[in-house]
Amino acid sequence: MRVLGIETSCDETGIAIYDSENGLLGHALHSQVAMHAEYGGVVPELASRDHVQKTLPLIRQVLDETGLKSDDIDGVAYTAGPGLVGALMVGAGIGRSLAYAWDVPAVAVHHMEGHLLAPMLEDEPPEFPFVALLVSGGHTQLVKVGSIGQYELLGESLDDAAGEAFDKTAKLLGLGYPGGPALARMAEQGNPDRFRFPRPMTDRPGLDFSFSGLKTFALNTMHAEYLDDQTRADIALAFEVAVVETLAIKCKRALKQTGLSRLIIAGGVSANQRLRTRLAEVCEKENASVYYPRLQFCTDNGAMIAFAGCQRLMVGERQGLDFSTRARWPMEELAAV
Ligand code: KG4
Ligand code: ZN
């Protein structure tokens, strides 16, 4: 089955075609980062308008690049949530309409399920069951995954998501949007012995997270110091290390608690090199294996939506013409495949 995937939940238009027999056939991405950078964050109305302009041309581009025609597409998958409703409605409206016009089924995909399944696009995909650490701009969750659609939430952030904490702290440090990659680059110049930030909620049992205090800790440190470039880099590093160590401690705990020996990491923050290296070390010590998506599929993309949608279309899941989008959508509501 060949599925066209459409992702428009936030600030990237992602299009891909996934084939259940031959894997990923093609994909393209248009990032709105440059447009939103001027405002220091995503402006929802501008995001929607840009998706309107980019989605169809990008679909044409992927069809051209793969040498496929609309007749070759057996189903359409679009992100229906969670995300910015206006932005979601663009992809959902276009996706549902194309499926109707082409007389093929459509399916609504959960954005975080897309992230969670992204490591399956790699050459050595993880087998079920596994623990998933989902770390994006909007979510930080530890999930026990039995199979596709069988998700048990083990813990999540009680306030800011990890990516959001990166973005907000980066802003305090005078870095542009999106802050995660910029902060990570600045941290490379940091002195690891200068500051030690707390590891929130690691001194009590449980798998929930809280990252908003780290941003305040960074702000207080900035107020207490003379802020030259070196000090800012030292703060960036102390913040990054604190987030990474906190995530590592909780991942180790989740593996122990579930007795599982596979960990997958996905979502924008899984592109962070320090996090990838640290979790590889943790898993080696725990005799567990760790799986990541390739870097370009850590952040938002159409490939993960085409893949997740294909799995659901293949078991007969269908979205009627009465489609809707959801700003919030607990992943546990999804049906097992
Ligand atoms: O998954 P994603 O593309 O969008 C959402 O679904 O939210 O994640 C975006 C988030 C942003 O907060 C961004 O700052 C963060 O991922 N991010 C990073 C890195 N690359 C992206 N955070 C830390 N280090 C990175 N290298
Ligand atoms: Zn995302």
Side-chain angles (χ1 to χ4, degrees), residues 140-144 151-156 208 331-332:
T140 301
Q141 299 180 322
L142 272 164
V143 185
K144 184 178 169 188
Y151 306 130
E152 183 192 329
L153 187 65
L154 301 170
E156 66 183 334
D208 286 333
M331 220 169 34
E332 284 156 307

Side-chain angles (χ1 to χ4, degrees), residues 173-175 186 222 227-237:
L173 288 167
L175 298 168
M186 181 181 253
M222 287 170 73
L227 266 192
D228 53 14
D229 285 351
Q230 187 58 52
T231 301
R232 289 177 3 161
D234 297 343
I235 291 172
L237 179 59

Side-chain angles (χ1 to χ4, degrees), residues 10-61:
C10 190
D11 57 349
E12 350 247 15
T13 316
I15 304 295
I17 298 174
Y18 181 81
D19 183 323
S20 54
E21 302 278 303
N22 299 302
L24 188 64
L25 301 182
H27 61 96
L29 187 87
H30 170 73
S31 168
Q32 302 177 352
V33 160
M35 181 179 78
H36 297 297
E38 212 183 308
Y39 304 93
V42 178
V43 184
E45 177 64 17
L46 295 182
S48 312
R49 291 181 192 198
D50 199 64
H51 287 307
V52 169
Q53 291 185 326
K54 300 293 174 359
T55 304
L56 277 175
L58 219 51
I59 291 172
R60 268 197 211 103
Q61 179 188 324

Side-chain angles (χ1 to χ4, degrees), residues 111 115 136 300 304:
H111 181 80
H115 276 306
S136 71
D300 293 348
M304 66 185 196

Side-chain angles (χ1 to χ4, degrees), residues 12 111 115 136-138 163-164 166-167 178-181 184 267-269 271-272 298-300:
E12 350 247 15
H111 181 80
H115 276 306
S136 71
E164 188 180 0
F166 263 98
D167 292 340
V269 182
N272 183 276
C298 286
T299 43
D300 293 348

Side-chain angles (χ1 to χ4, degrees), residues 130-131 142 144 154 206-207 247-263 281-288:
F130 53 72
V131 171
L142 272 164
K144 184 178 169 188
L154 301 170
L207 294 169
L247 292 171
I249 290 166
K250 297 282 162 114
C251 283
K252 185 170 155 182
R253 211 177 269 179
L255 288 171
K256 283 214 158 79
Q257 182 180 312
T258 57
L260 295 176
S261 59
R262 281 179 290 268
L263 174 72
E281 284 169 12
V282 166
C283 285
E284 199 181 325
K285 265 202 199 127
E286 298 298 308
N287 264 325

